[in-house]
Every structure is written in C-alpha cells, then in structure tokens.
C-alpha cells in the first residue's frame, strides 16, 4: 500500500496488514438477503399505503423486472414508462417499498464537485473527470424538476440549501483548499458559487468552535422516501402495465434456455418470465450477481434524528459536513429544524464493512453520533437512531450497464441482465442518472448522461476493483 497509508492509519490500526487481509476476506463473502427486522428509520415512520403494496397475483411475465424499489428502481420504472407506456414493468422488493438505503439515508443531495474532481482527474484524466463532475452537478436541478413534475415538491420538502463543509483538523483543511483551487481552475464559471472561510472568520460566521476552515456552496435536501413513494403510487395509478410487489424477495434467477427465450425470476410467491432483469439493489447486488462479489459490497451506515438545537444557524436551509482526522459526519435540518445527523463510520469500520444486518446499531457509532454535536456547542439529543446498507465499489465508481454472462453466470436470451448500483455513499447524486442510462441502453437509445466506459461492467474491471488500494486510501489515506 506504501504511500497511500498514512501514519495515522498505523496508529489507529497497528495490525494494519492483518486488518487488510481480514477486510479482503470480509468483502469476498457474497452478501445475504435483507434482514426481516431492520431498525426503524425516521424517514419511514408514517408510510403511505404503497409502502406495503402487493398485486393480487404476480404477473406471469414482464418486459422488464426491476429488483429493488428505491431511487434507482423508481427512476428506472418512471423513465421506462415515460418512454414506452405500454411496457410491462414489474418491480419486486424483499421488504417494503423504498425501505432500503433510500429510506434510510441522510436526506442530502450534495455533489461536492470541488472535493471529488481532483481525485477523479488523477485517476481518469481531466476530460472524463469533468464529464462525471458535470453530471453530478446537474443532479440537484434534475431532482427538483422531477419533484415539481410529480407534484411532490411540498410533500418531499425538496429544496436548495447552502452546503457548509467544516474542517476541524489542519491536514484536511489544507487538502480542502488545494482541492477547491484545482476545481475552480477547471470550472472558473463556478467561482461565485463557492467560498472559503479560514480561522477566526470561519468560527465566528458559522458558530463553529475549533474549526480550521469552511467551504460553502450549493447543495440540496429532501425527504427521500416521500418522493419515491409518491412516484410509485402515481405509476400504479397511471399505468396498468406497472406492478409493484413488496415483501417478495427474489430467491434466484433461471437463465433463458435459448437465444429467444426469457429469464425466470423466482420468488416465494411465484415466478415471472422476464425479457430483461434490472438489478437495483445496491449493497445487496452481489447476492444475485455473485460474480461482483468483492468488487461491489455492502457497508452499514448509521443515521440519527435529533432534537432541534436552540442555536438558529442550524436550520433547514443549510447542509453540513464535519471533517475530522478520523472521517466525517453529515447533518441537515428539516424545515421544522429536526436535525438529521449521520456518520461515525471510521469509529466502527471493522464491524460495518461487509454486513447487510441493519437490525442493529454499533455501540461505538451510537456514542460518537450522540456526542459530536454537544461537543461543538449544540444542545441536541438523539430521538431515533437506525442503520441502512450502502453499496460500495472497490474502485469507487458505480456499476452501470449490461451484466455479461461471465459475471452473471447466466446466458442471455431475448433480453439481458442490467445493473445500476455501487454508489459508494453518493446514491442521491448518482442513482437517478444511473437508472436513466441503463434504461436508455435497454431501449436501445443513446444515453450519455455522465456515464463513462470506466463504469461499465466487465470482467477486467471486476478483477481490478477487488484490489483494495483506492478503498483503503478513501478511508485511511
């Protein structure tokens, strides 16, 4: 690993080599199915009827079976039916509608292009890094337009906010300033949108004691599950060819027995013949696509809902990120100023990687998320705490497109298998566009919404992504 591993890593994990081997072993295990008793998410506390919707009987066949009902699945179904209203689209979920990562995340739409562009440019080159960055930058306006078109803006509370990225240690602040300079050199038209505050100016302006520096810029926030539930309910009411079956896990997929026949998607409630199958299950993807094991794997994240602080600068028009020498935490506030605060991954990393058990919360993460805000002067108290399963990619890029037989283990027939997953914690900024790209390919249309060939699903990429250099650098470099 050489220079990608910092001295801090050696201090935090003195047996780092053995940890690295343990990590490799952990992510090389194919994930299990979603557990039946997940923690209770604040976002899902008062779900609509679509949450548990089932068809009286499963459809016998479909043009496209979508496995997963979060933002990726909903985006794919909406895009398919907008383009081809007569398509038979069947959506299946092992649990309730939008009860996975989309119903458990932080509620941010936070592309942070300045933070990510330099790393992308170093790996992909400036041209491709610019394409990916521009796509991520456009997602906020896209999501607002979608909510407006659906008539869901008020329901899901989608809004533009000011991103406030606070750095509490010198090293991360120095890095942040360098990244911002590189980004603005490439995107000079963005200069007026981003500002840097340092030292006492930062601390006084944003009431953040101990801050070394702060970067501000545009971001967004919303109640994610409400938007997805709204979309799914409308699709059911508008399209007789769309079906949604919750609590209907896919147990296996039988491949076509000829070049002109269909896949058979098996569930405990019956079977569906499918021309195409879209895997929209993020951290669980490798369960049905074991060829991706070790390249796309689950990580458990933790979120809290906390009481509104008395300090008024924490309000619904700001979205915060707190960067420390041991990771980062993130916060947004609802319009009623309820604080949605998550993170603490580095504090419990050894237990969170590779697990799909969102029925439990790690005690170290609980302690961390309960104590951070009071430590920086906010009188909040944890009201609810829950976990959710993210899908991380070994090379930090999402997996988008056709799944070749060498990876699915199944021959193709009249259609193909497809995937949009592995967002590495950035699903709100990537998932909708990833789904649109896959749908364009299913329909034989021209895509190009920001997806580059490095995101394609290939055997060579799988082998490369199973190496841990970029993942380790992300957490420990």
């Amino acid at each position: 690993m050489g220079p990608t591993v910092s001295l801090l890593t050696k201090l935090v994990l003195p047996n780092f080599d053995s940890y690295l081997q343990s990590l490799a072993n952990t992510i090389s295990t194919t994930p299990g199915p979603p557990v039946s008793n997940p923690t209770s998410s604040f976002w899902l506390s008062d779900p609509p009827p679509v949450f548990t919707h089932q068809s009286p009987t499963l459809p016998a066949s479909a043009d496209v079976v979508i496995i997963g009902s979060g933002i990726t699945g909903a985006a794919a179904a909406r895009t398919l039916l907008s383009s081809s209203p007569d398509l038979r689209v069947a959506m299946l979920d092992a649990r309730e509608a939008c009860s996975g990562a989309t119903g458990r995340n932080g509620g941010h739409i936070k592309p942070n292009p300045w933070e990510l562009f330099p790393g992308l440019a170093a790996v992909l080159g400036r041209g491709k890094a610019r394409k990916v960055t521009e796509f991520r930058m456009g997602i906020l306006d896209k999501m607002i337009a979608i909510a407006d078109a659906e008539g869901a803006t008020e329901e899901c509370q989608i809004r533009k906010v000011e991103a406030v990225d606070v750095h509490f240690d010198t090293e991360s602040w120095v890095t942040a300033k360098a990244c911002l300079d590189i980004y603005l050199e490439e995107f000079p038209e963005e200069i007026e949108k981003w500002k840097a505050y340092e030292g006492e100016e930062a601390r006084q302006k944003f009431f953040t004691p101990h801050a070394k520096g702060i970067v501000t810029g545009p971001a967004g926030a919303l109640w994610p599950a409400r938007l997805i539930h709204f979309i799914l309910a409308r699709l059911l009411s508008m399209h007789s060819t769309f079906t949604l079956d919750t609590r209907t896990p896919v147990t296996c997929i039988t491949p076509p027995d000829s070049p002109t026949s269909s896949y058979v998607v098996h569930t405990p409630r019956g079977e569906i013949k499918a021309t195409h199958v879209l895997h929209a299950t993020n951290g669980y993807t490798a369960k049905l696509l074991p060829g991706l094991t070790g390249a796309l794997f689950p990580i458990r994240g933790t979120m809290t809902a906390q009481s509104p602080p008395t300090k008024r600068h924490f309000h619904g028009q700001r979205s915060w990120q707190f960067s420390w020498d041991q990771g980062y935490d993130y916060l947004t506030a609802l319009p009623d100023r309820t604080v949605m605060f998550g993170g603490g991954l580095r504090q419990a990393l050894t237990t969170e990687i590779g697990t799909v058990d969102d029925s439990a919360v790690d005690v170290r993460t609980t302690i961390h998320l309960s104590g951070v805000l009071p430590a920086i002067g906010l009188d909040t108290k944890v009201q609810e705490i829950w976990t959710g399963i993210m899908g991380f990619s070994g090379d930090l890029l999402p997996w988008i497109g056709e799944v070749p037989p060498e990876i699915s283990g199944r021959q193709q027939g009249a259609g193909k298998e497809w995937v949009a997953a592995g967002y590495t914690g950035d699903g709100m900024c990537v998932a909708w566009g990833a789904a649109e790209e896959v749908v364009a390919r299913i329909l034989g249309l021209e895509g190009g919404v920001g997806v580059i060939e490095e995101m394609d699903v290939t055997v060579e990429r799988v082998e490369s992504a199973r190496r841990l250099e970029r993942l380790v650098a992300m957490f420990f470099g």
Side-chain angles (χ1 to χ4, degrees):
M1 309 308 296
T4 65
V5 180
S6 67
L7 175 60
L8 174 65
T9 301
K10 297 294 186 179
L11 295 174
V12 174
L13 293 170
N15 298 317
F16 185 74
D17 291 339
S18 63
Y19 170 74
L20 195 60
Q21 184 58 53
S22 174
L23 175 61
N25 294 339
T26 297
I27 67 173
S28 65
T29 301
T30 300
V35 302
S36 60
N37 59 332
T39 50
S40 297
S41 166
F42 174 93
W43 302 116
L44 303 173
S45 56
D46 186 24
V50 74
F51 188 59
T52 55
H53 185 275
Q54 284 188 346
S55 309
T57 59
L58 286 181
S61 61
D63 297 304
V64 183
V65 167
I66 299 172
I67 307 173
S69 63
I71 189 170
T72 303
R78 183 181 187 271
T79 307
L80 281 165
L81 292 167
S82 295
S83 301
S84 303
D86 295 330
L87 274 178
R88 298 167 301 155
V89 178
M91 179 177 287
L92 304 173
D93 201 296
R95 298 196 305 214
E96 293 76 22
C98 194
S99 64
T102 307
R104 297 173 173 274
N105 66 25
H108 301 251
I109 304 175
K110 197 164 182 292
N112 263 25
W114 66 269
E115 188 175 35
L116 296 177
F117 174 77
L120 290 171
V123 174
L124 303 172
R126 282 185 174 260
K128 290 182 178 180
R130 184 180 180 96
K131 185 177 181 181
V132 174
T133 301
E134 288 174 338
F135 159 64
R136 291 171 58 92
M137 289 162 59
I139 199 67
L140 175 56
D141 287 340
K142 176 187 286 289
M143 296 297 290
I144 289 174
I146 289 165
D148 286 347
E150 292 285 340
T153 300
E154 183 176 354
E155 174 76 12
C156 72
Q157 301 176 354
I158 194 166
R159 59 204 182 274
K160 290 187 176 182
V161 300
E162 179 185 35
V164 182
D165 293 350
V166 186
H167 295 265
F168 287 105
D169 66 289
T170 301
E171 183 177 356
S172 75
W173 175 237
V174 170
T175 300
K177 288 191 294 182
C179 287
L180 183 62
D181 287 343
I182 293 170
Y183 170 72
L184 294 178
E185 179 183 355
E186 180 70 23
F187 295 89
E189 67 275 17
E190 292 282 303
I191 288 175
E192 295 302 316
K193 296 180 181 179
W194 300 91
K195 298 190 182 323
Y197 303 89
E198 193 161 17
E200 193 60 29
E201 180 187 20
R203 292 188 283 271
Q204 290 190 7
K205 184 174 179 62
F206 294 95
F207 304 94
T208 48
H210 317 301
K212 300 296 183 183
I214 290 174
V215 176
T216 66
L222 80 162
W223 194 307
R226 285 186 176 178
L227 176 60
I228 302 308
H229 287 152
F230 200 101
I231 290 171
L232 294 178
R234 186 189 63 78
L235 291 177
L236 285 168
S237 68
M238 296 287 292
H239 297 274
S240 61
T241 57
F242 175 68
T243 59
L244 168 64
D245 284 277
T246 64
R247 300 173 181 173
T248 307
V250 176
T251 54
C252 65
I253 301 170
T254 300
D257 56 16
S258 76
T260 58
S261 60
S262 302
Y263 296 93
V264 180
V265 178
H266 299 264
T267 82
R269 297 179 57 224
E271 303 171 351
I272 305 177
K273 290 184 178 180
T275 305
H276 296 281
V277 177
L278 171 56
H279 298 265
T281 52
N282 208 17
Y284 301 92
T285 302
K287 174 157 192 324
L288 293 171
L289 292 175
L292 287 174
T293 300
L296 197 175
F297 48 88
I299 291 184
R300 183 171 61 190
T302 306
M303 272 295 300
T304 65
Q306 303 196 23
S307 57
T310 54
K311 291 187 176 180
R312 306 302 296 181
H313 62 286
F314 278 81
H315 50 67
Q317 296 305 312
R318 278 182 175 157
S319 179
W320 300 73
Q321 178 173 303
F322 303 119
S323 295
W324 325 78
D325 56 4
Q326 292 202 33
Y328 70 92
D329 307 307
Y330 41 90
L331 180 155
T332 194
L334 303 185
D336 68 2
R337 298 184 66 249
T338 296
V339 170
M340 311 302 291
F341 184 55
L345 185 58
R346 276 282 297 275
Q347 281 62 36
L349 193 58
T350 55
T351 63
E352 307 306 88
I353 292 182
T355 183
V356 293
D357 182 7
D358 55 2
S359 68
V361 179
D362 183 272
V363 65
R364 290 165 292 183
T365 311
T366 301
I367 293 170
H368 177 81
L369 293 177
S370 300
V372 168
L373 299 182
I376 61 173
L378 293 178
D379 52 342
T380 59
K381 292 183 179 180
V382 173
Q383 297 175 323
E384 296 184 43
I385 185 167
W386 65 94
T387 51
I389 306 306
M390 301 176 283
F392 269 58
S393 173
D395 61 8
L396 309 185
L397 293 173
W399 300 80
I400 302 173
E402 175 187 340
V403 182
E406 296 88 345
I407 293 173
S408 69
R410 293 177 283 267
Q411 68 178 16
Q412 297 174 344
K416 299 175 180 178
E417 290 185 72
W418 307 84
V419 67
Y423 306 129
T424 313
D426 268 350
M428 295 297 291
C429 301
V430 180
W432 195 282
E436 287 183 330
E437 174 70 14
V438 169
V439 167
R441 297 185 190 186
I442 291 173
L443 298 177
L445 305 174
E446 184 176 350
V449 294
V451 176
I452 56 177
E453 61 185 10
E454 282 80 0
M455 298 176 186
D456 289 347
V457 185
T458 66
V459 173
E460 294 76 18
R461 185 186 167 198
V462 168
E463 291 303 316
S464 175
R466 285 174 176 156
R467 306 183 193 114
L468 301 179
E469 286 88 348
R470 292 184 67 187
L471 179 70
V472 170
M474 176 181 182
F475 287 119
F476 299 115

